[in-house]
Amino acid sequence: DVPLIQGDTLTRLCGLCSEGALALLTAVPDDPTGYGRIVRDEDGHIRAIVEHKDANEDERAIREINTGILAAPARRLKDWVARLDNRNAQGEYYLTDVIAMAVADGVPVASTRAGSLEEILGVNSKAQLAVLERAYQRRRAEELMTAGVTLLDPTRLDVRGDVTVGRDVVIDANVVLEGRVELGDGVCVGPFCLLRNVTVGAGTEVLSHSNLDQADIGPACRVGPYARIRPGTVLAEQVHIGNFVEVKNARINSGSKVNHLSYVGDSRVGRRVNIGAGTITCNYDGANKHLTVIGDDVFVGSDTQLVAPVTVGAGATIGAGSTITKNVPPGGLTLSRAPQRTREGWQRPQKKK
């Protein structure tokens, strides 16, 4: 009911009743309307809690309120609860009546204040939930900044899990971090990115509008903008994944590049490979997934389809516009194009007027 209550606050509260006292957690809001008031005697000792509807004008002027959280010796609390009645304006059984019982029984009543009002706020509507969610996210942002992270807009960050950061990390606006996220030294995350259960190596840049999910990104990589990295992906150091590229369950080794409009799935890509724009690995035959293996120093021309299972040997070059259905030997040029023809005098169809 009060999701932002802090562990150290509750520990402090329980410590007060370790000697047999009853302990209350109180707060002093700007507007105490609706809350039970803490009634103290002239020496400042707590005598009772009076609910708002039962309070007189003098009691309603009191700003110190009951938060609804108390700690008490179990044996005494059991006795007090058994003696509760509902003789009040609302006809309800008030747990807060045990304070007056404790005073009557000679039990000391101690109190401590909540660290902030946000700690004791409850959630009874979607609107209240949204308010506390922002408060929670503000706390997470402050924790990251204390750890040395540069947040370009701390009000536009959502942390929905555990985040570990190195030195000099920079996170732009509207970034969502979910699950377990590890960001190495010098990582830069651009705006509108989602990182879920990922590790990002030192010096890597994740450009705007990229989605990284259950992946291991090596150091000094560049990912995005508009890249989608799906589960099972492992990028080694200095890998470039460019705009509108999707990678799924693939290992791409150091120095390789997939810069434009491509899909690489269920693949093992060697070092220093260049995959041209519009290339796809055809890994799914409608029933099973198949593996594509690309050796070191391969150059794949634009608009190529690699129909798995297939292996491309080290140092091979594949000409643009090829459909590769057989293994490609190392070195040399491989292509599969129909002969280019031109029909002279051909007329483009015209719409009838």
Side-chain angles (χ1 to χ4, degrees):
D1 185 52
V2 283
L4 298 189
I5 190 68
Q6 298 297 291
D8 58 353
T9 298
L10 296 179
T11 299
R12 190 170 68 250
L13 180 70
C14 290
L16 291 176
C17 74
S18 60
E19 301 299 326
L22 183 151
L24 293 175
L25 184 66
T26 71
V28 183
D30 292 335
D31 182 6
T33 302
Y35 289 96
R37 304 307 203 276
I38 303 295
V39 178
R40 296 177 182 267
D41 61 21
E42 58 274 11
D43 296 322
H45 299 129
I46 296 175
R47 311 308 299 173
I49 294 176
V50 179
E51 295 301 318
H52 180 86
K53 289 187 177 180
D54 298 303
N56 58 39
E57 289 302 315
D58 290 339
E59 291 166 337
R60 290 188 179 187
I62 298 171
R63 289 182 55 208
E64 186 179 19
I65 64 163
N66 172 41
T67 66
I69 299 175
L70 63 82
R75 179 180 57 82
R76 287 191 176 275
L77 183 63
K78 183 177 180 180
D79 173 61
W80 295 330
V81 169
R83 290 155 51 190
L84 292 176
D85 62 54
N86 62 348
R87 289 175 292 179
N88 52 65
Q90 298 187 92
E92 296 178 349
Y93 291 90
Y94 294 152
L95 182 60
T96 50
D97 286 348
V98 303
I99 283 74
M101 295 179 188
V103 172
D105 290 347
V107 175
V109 179
S111 68
T112 185
R113 295 267 178 93
S116 70
L117 290 177
E118 292 167 351
E119 282 196 54
I120 55 91
L121 294 179
V123 177
N124 299 299
S125 68
K126 294 293 186 180
Q128 291 175 337
L129 178 61
V131 168
L132 290 190
E133 175 66 22
R134 285 302 94 206
Y136 171 77
Q137 293 300 340
R138 190 164 58 250
R139 283 185 183 176
R140 300 305 302 271
E142 290 170 356
E143 291 170 1
L144 288 174
M145 289 187 290
T146 299
V149 176
T150 298
L151 299 179
L152 298 189
D153 188 345
T155 66
R156 290 190 286 167
L157 172 73
D158 279 83
V159 179
R160 302 169 186 169
D162 297 320
V163 180
T164 304
V165 295
R167 298 187 304 274
D168 300 321
V169 171
V170 178
I171 300 176
D172 211 325
N174 295 307
V175 169
V176 178
L177 305 174
E178 291 188 357
R180 185 172 295 278
V181 175
E182 297 182 21
L183 305 177
D185 296 346
V187 166
C188 182
V189 181
F192 296 97
C193 289
L194 168 62
L195 278 63
R196 178 188 296 117
N197 293 314
V198 297
T199 299
V200 182
T204 286
E205 184 177 12
V206 181
L207 301 176
S208 68
H209 296 85
S210 294
N211 186 317
L212 283 61
D213 185 7
Q214 299 179 59
D216 188 351
I217 311 300
C221 292
R222 189 179 69 213
V223 178
Y226 294 95
R228 185 182 182 196
I229 309 299
R230 292 173 57 191
T233 296
V234 178
L235 305 183
E237 67 275 8
Q238 297 182 334
V239 170
H240 291 183
I241 303 296
N243 47 289
F244 302 103
V245 171
E246 180 178 353
V247 183
K248 189 267 303 185
N249 190 31
R251 180 177 183 89
I252 301 180
N253 281 295
S254 59
S256 293
K257 300 177 180 180
V258 191
N259 275 328
H260 318 282
L261 302 155
S262 296
Y263 169 70
V264 178
D266 297 297
S267 300
R268 301 296 177 264
V269 179
R271 298 185 296 272
R272 300 176 300 278
V273 172
N274 189 92
I275 296 179
T279 295
I280 63 171
T281 57
C282 306
N283 57 319
Y284 184 50
D285 63 8
N288 299 296
K289 302 290 179 67
H290 300 281
L291 184 66
T292 296
V293 179
I294 301 174
D296 297 343
D297 300 302
V298 167
F299 183 95
V300 181
S302 298
D303 194 28
T304 293
Q305 300 85 49
L306 300 169
V307 183
V310 68
T311 297
V312 180
T317 298
I318 298 176
S322 296
T323 299
I324 303 300
T325 59
K326 300 177 181 178
N327 290 345
V328 175
L333 171 66
T334 299
L335 67 163
S336 63
R337 298 177 185 161
Q340 182 170 312
R341 296 183 299 171
T342 301
R343 294 174 58 184
E344 299 292 343
W346 179 83
Q347 294 294 319
R348 183 181 301 157
Q350 302 290 324
K351 289 184 178 179
K352 292 181 180 182
K353 295 184 180 180

